[in-house]
Amino acid sequence: MAAPIVLCLQFLCFALAIIGTRAQGGSWEVVVEDAGIAPMHAAVTRWNTVVLFDWTDAGASNISLPNVEGRGLATDSSAHSALLDLQNNAVFPLTIQTDTWCSSGQFLPNGTLLLSGGRNDDLPQLEGGPRNYMSAGSSAMLPLEGDYSTATIVICGGAQYDAYINQSVNLPAQESCGRIVATDPNPDWEMETMPHVLNTAEMVTLPTGAILIINGTGPSLNPVIYQPAKSECSRFTILNPTTIPRMYHSTANLLPDGRILLAGSNTHRATVGDFPTDQRIEAFSPDYLVANNSNLRPMVVKAPNTMQYGKLYNVYVTMPSPLRKTVEVNFASTPYSMHSFSQGQSADW
């Protein structure tokens, strides 16, 4: 018997009306002026909150703990993790026992957020050299379709080989993206060119199936949307810019309401210069949230709390106005976000 999977813990449920809209470029808002920490990892929970993690040994943060017992690896009395309540945008300090620098994380069925690490690569070499840390390219898995047995991975940007070691020379970042069907018996890379170079950016799977490429050093202020279903050379679109340079250790998470939450920046040791540590939290609203389409946007009113593989379930939605077009219901996992990629991110179509 298949083990039950907690739907509302591991998955965000979205209902979208399939409509044709003219691109507006999206909109931005600052959600929190000072989060107290500069998150390098983030994870959205089923309770409409976001768990944020900072560097534990970078000195005191701007948010205090109610007590100083059980500090783990941190050497000061301030918090290096926090909880953001999306109902009122309030930030609460959390105690962290370990160093989560560049860690991986995912929710277990019982609600535990498990942090871990590890790496493995047995695929063909990607043109342009390695994109893994320290080169810091970005990666995402395209939404799973059909019988969910085919996994297509996209890796974009990153620094040139040895750029981190040879810091006396300014080398431009990569502008190429590689796309590969990792489950193919004989996988090979399909190469594409982005509108601009990117390094340490995040890639967020949207409810529409598109990939949002956002944040990054440079700085990269304009998000780029990647639409995998389009033909080659027409998949990238540049969106409206933010005014906050997120730089190196930033996060990007898809929220239950369809916005993308942005947090973090250069870490606490980089508090001077052109791009100091920035503790503001902001949200980006893609075009599918444009106000003109609010009467066409379905709302999920009821969904099962648990699911098992191979069984049928009902998800109930309501529409503000009558609609004769198709309504899709898609499921997306809530990943553990950090610079360059989000561990556990996936979407089921």
Side-chain angles (χ1 to χ4, degrees):
M1 180 177 179
I5 296 177
V6 180
L7 169 69
C8 291
L9 177 65
Q10 293 187 334
F11 294 90
L12 305 180
C13 184
F14 299 95
L16 294 175
I18 309 304
I19 55 178
T21 61
R22 179 176 295 178
Q24 302 293 321
S27 61
W28 292 89
E29 61 179 313
V30 174
V31 178
V32 177
E33 281 290 344
D34 189 348
I37 62 174
M40 64 172 67
H41 309 291
V44 179
T45 77
R46 63 164 293 188
W47 297 281
N48 212 28
T49 59
V50 184
V51 185
L52 307 169
F53 298 91
D54 196 357
W55 189 7
T56 58
D57 62 350
S61 70
N62 287 357
I63 184 170
S64 300
L65 286 168
N67 59 71
V68 296
E69 295 181 2
R71 293 293 299 123
L73 293 178
T75 57
D76 58 85
S77 60
S78 61
H80 295 272
S81 179
L83 184 75
L84 171 64
D85 188 339
L86 296 172
Q87 294 289 343
N88 53 19
N89 295 330
V91 177
F92 304 92
L94 296 178
T95 298
I96 186 169
Q97 299 291 336
T98 59
D99 186 356
T100 58
W101 178 280
C102 292
S103 60
S104 302
Q106 186 54 274
F107 287 107
L108 300 181
N110 66 358
T112 299
L113 178 59
L114 177 67
L115 306 186
S116 61
R119 58 184 178 180
N120 187 31
D121 184 6
D122 57 0
L123 296 174
Q125 284 194 1
L126 176 61
E127 181 182 319
R131 311 296 178 95
N132 55 298
Y133 193 79
M134 293 284 199
S135 294
S138 309
S139 64
M141 181 171 65
L142 299 186
L144 299 173
E145 300 182 78
D147 62 359
Y148 310 123
S149 63
T150 300
T152 302
I153 310 299
V154 177
I155 300 178
C156 297
Q160 294 189 34
Y161 184 68
D162 278 348
Y164 178 81
I165 298 174
N166 189 15
Q167 296 187 24
S168 62
V169 178
N170 291 324
L171 298 174
Q174 305 270 5
E175 63 178 357
S176 63
C177 281
R179 177 169 168 169
I180 191 169
V181 181
T183 51
D184 193 300
N186 298 295
D188 198 10
W189 292 99
E190 175 189 342
M191 301 303 299
E192 300 179 78
T193 301
M194 295 184 292
H196 53 247
V197 299
L198 283 172
N199 193 35
T200 65
E202 279 79 60
M203 298 178 71
V204 181
T205 304
L206 301 179
T208 59
I211 304 295
L212 182 70
I213 309 173
I214 198 165
N215 295 344
T217 57
S220 177
L221 301 179
N222 288 85
V224 174
I225 195 164
Y226 175 79
Q227 300 181 75
K230 287 192 172 184
S231 59
E232 189 178 353
C233 300
S234 62
R235 293 170 179 162
F236 293 98
T237 302
I238 299 177
L239 305 181
N240 289 337
T242 180
T243 59
I244 302 176
R246 290 296 171 182
M247 304 304 289
Y248 175 36
H249 259 302
S250 57
T251 62
N253 291 79
L254 180 66
L255 299 179
D257 62 10
R259 295 177 300 162
I260 292 83
L261 190 76
L262 290 307
S265 66
N266 277 331
T267 47
H268 278 287
R269 289 182 180 174
T271 56
V272 296
D274 294 334
F275 305 108
T277 300
D278 196 313
Q279 298 181 344
R280 286 175 290 179
I281 296 177
E282 60 183 337
F284 176 70
S285 297
D287 283 342
Y288 55 72
L289 293 177
V290 65
N292 292 342
N293 294 332
S294 59
N295 64 318
L296 301 175
R297 189 175 305 123
M299 298 293 294
V300 178
V301 295
K302 185 179 180 181
N305 290 324
T306 61
M307 295 183 70
Q308 292 178 312
Y309 289 109
K311 292 188 177 182
L312 298 178
Y313 297 89
N314 293 324
V315 175
Y316 298 89
V317 300
T318 184
M319 292 292 302
S321 61
L323 181 69
R324 296 181 179 179
K325 295 182 181 291
T326 302
V327 174
E328 283 187 4
V329 176
N330 302 322
F331 296 95
S333 76
T334 57
Y336 183 76
S337 171
M338 66 174 293
H339 65 86
S340 300
F341 62 100
S342 297
Q343 297 94 337
Q345 177 173 245
S346 66
D348 298 333
W349 258 232

